[in-house]
Amino acid sequence: MRAVVTGAAGFIGSHLCQHLLAHGDEVVGVDAMTAFYDPVRKRRNLAPLLGRDRFVFRRGDLLRLRLEPLFGAADVVYHLAGQPGVRGSWGSEFAVYLERNVLVTQHVLEAARDVRLPRLVFASSSSVYGDAEAYPTPETLRPRPVSPYGVTKLAAEQLCETYRTVFGVPAASLRLFSVYGPRQRPDMAFARLVTAACADRPFPLYGDGGQSRDFTYVGDVVKAMRAAALSGWAGVANLGGGSEVTLRQVISLLGELAAPVRVVPGPARPGDARRTAADITLARRAFGYRPATGLRTGLAAMVADAVRADPVGSSPTGPLGSTG
Ligand code: NAD
């Protein structure tokens, strides 16, 4: 397949490009290299892709690019570009979230409609649920986001549904649940924890550690994205990791895999849901989704990657922010 991946230099986008290339697809990666976190990391994410046959990189802001020529030759567009992170989405930063998550997605959908794109896969988020009314949460439950970030992801997902219903744009919106693995964004809890453990730095814990997430390994996510594209299925589906784990349990497991983490307790931050847990029945039926990587294996891969990238633990931690 000929694929366009937006957000190709990011955490999940760079894994997706690798996965697609490994399966023989042609990939055009697009990314604005935003400064939400150090673009040096994004260049590092891209490095193994650049120079490979069947991979082309276009640097640019999707809102300012002419997308029709880019999408016109594609069998599928994976739309991952966006502004992630729940805690930073309050206040004046909301304008950035609105632009990168909502306006950009509308721009993508207009182009998808105009070129009659055969397939669109959108990276939505478990943040649309907020504090859900039931667990594990099925897609049919009323979304109740507790962060402005979640509101923008829900708006973008609803736009996908609107263009699908009105114009037949074949969009699959996948609600990703706390994705982790090598090269995870530095603001996310696992990346901060691994840095804290490997470099013996304190870890600021927001809340009592009893908050739980349905952590999902990045390799399972990118496999599911391609499977969703190939299946032709459209709609909204959860992609969770298959088990719910508290942050306290993650900290204890990391102690076994790397080193004990020095936790510095702090208050919970607004925007964080207390719990997430995905009902993944729909994704399993629609495109055979079965998360295969358990937490111990996935976390060990992250630790190994961190040690490889920075054996003496000298790199600075990223901005301290989101758990998902
Ligand atoms: P990331 O920040 O590492 O990647 C996003 C990329 O998009 C960045 O490289 C950024 O430069 C690029 N980008 C942003 N705005 C752009 C624009 N206007 N034009 C072109 N490029 C632009 O984030 P990630 O963790 O890889 O997340 C990827 C997607 O998955 C995001 O849409 C995020 O909301 C969604 N998501 C992530 C998670 C998670 O756990 N990581 C969970 C749910 C949903």
Side-chain angles (χ1 to χ4, degrees):
M1 289 205 292
R2 290 162 302 177
V4 172
V5 175
T6 76
F11 160 47
I12 305 172
S14 60
H15 279 276
L16 178 63
C17 291
Q18 279 181 328
H19 179 74
L20 299 178
L21 290 170
H23 285 79
D25 296 343
E26 286 174 32
V27 182
V28 178
V30 186
D31 203 296
M33 311 294 274
T34 66
F36 170 58
Y37 59 86
D38 191 348
V40 167
R41 286 176 184 266
K42 299 184 183 183
R43 284 200 286 277
R44 224 183 283 149
N45 292 345
L46 277 177
L49 300 167
L50 297 173
R52 280 189 63 169
D53 285 350
R54 295 182 281 107
F55 182 79
V56 174
F57 180 65
R58 285 279 309 274
R59 181 174 180 160
D61 187 326
L62 288 161
L63 210 49
R64 274 123 207 133
L65 286 176
R66 274 200 61 229
L67 298 181
E68 287 78 4
L70 206 59
F71 290 4
D75 299 308
V76 53
V77 171
Y78 298 93
H79 178 41
L80 277 64
Q83 179 56 50
V86 295
R87 297 188 195 125
S89 63
W90 304 99
S92 60
E93 283 302 296
F94 183 65
V96 176
Y97 283 75
L98 206 51
E99 176 174 313
R100 293 184 185 159
N101 294 343
V102 183
L103 297 182
V104 163
T105 302
Q106 188 261 357
H107 195 52
V108 163
L109 286 162
E110 286 279 313
R113 177 198 59 198
D114 291 351
V115 304
R116 296 177 185 276
L117 184 73
R119 195 69 49 216
L120 176 70
V121 177
F122 170 60
S124 185
S125 169
S126 60
S127 296
V128 303
Y129 289 121
D131 288 315
E133 286 163 340
Y135 299 93
T137 311
E139 295 82 355
T140 45
L141 226 67
R142 186 167 60 102
R144 302 191 309 174
V146 291
S147 68
Y149 165 71
V151 171
T152 60
K153 293 305 279 191
L154 182 58
E157 186 190 287
Q158 290 285 321
L159 279 168
C160 290
E161 285 297 279
T162 303
Y163 277 73
R164 180 165 78 87
T165 312
V166 177
F167 299 117
V169 173
S173 296
L174 305 179
R175 292 177 173 167
L176 315 187
F177 281 65
S178 303
V179 185
Y180 74 99
R183 312 200 296 272
Q184 193 191 44
R185 294 194 332 260
D187 59 299
M188 295 187 74
F190 276 35
R192 294 166 45 225
L193 274 168
V194 169
T195 304
C198 294
D200 190 25
R201 296 214 178 93
F203 173 76
L205 173 65
Y206 306 131
D208 61 6
Q211 61 269 48
S212 63
R213 293 287 177 274
D214 197 334
F215 294 107
T216 314
Y217 190 66
V218 66
D220 288 328
V221 169
V222 298
K223 197 170 159 201
M225 287 180 157
R226 186 167 188 271
L230 286 173
S231 73
W233 176 85
V236 178
N238 291 336
L239 284 190
S243 62
E244 190 186 346
V245 183
T246 66
L247 208 49
R248 221 180 288 120
Q249 288 171 308
V250 175
I251 290 169
S252 146
L253 179 57
L254 196 56
E256 288 175 37
L257 293 171
V261 179
R262 277 192 289 136
V263 171
V264 180
R269 298 284 175 97
D272 281 336
R274 178 75 184 162
R275 224 183 135 183
T276 68
D279 181 333
I280 54 173
T281 312
L282 177 56
R284 188 173 62 238
R285 289 199 183 127
F287 45 89
Y289 176 59
R290 278 180 207 283
T293 312
L295 186 64
R296 178 178 284 273
T297 308
L299 197 51
M302 263 187 97
V303 170
D305 186 66
V307 171
R308 238 191 334 269
D310 185 19
V312 291
S314 58
S315 74
T317 48
L320 303 182
S322 169
T323 54

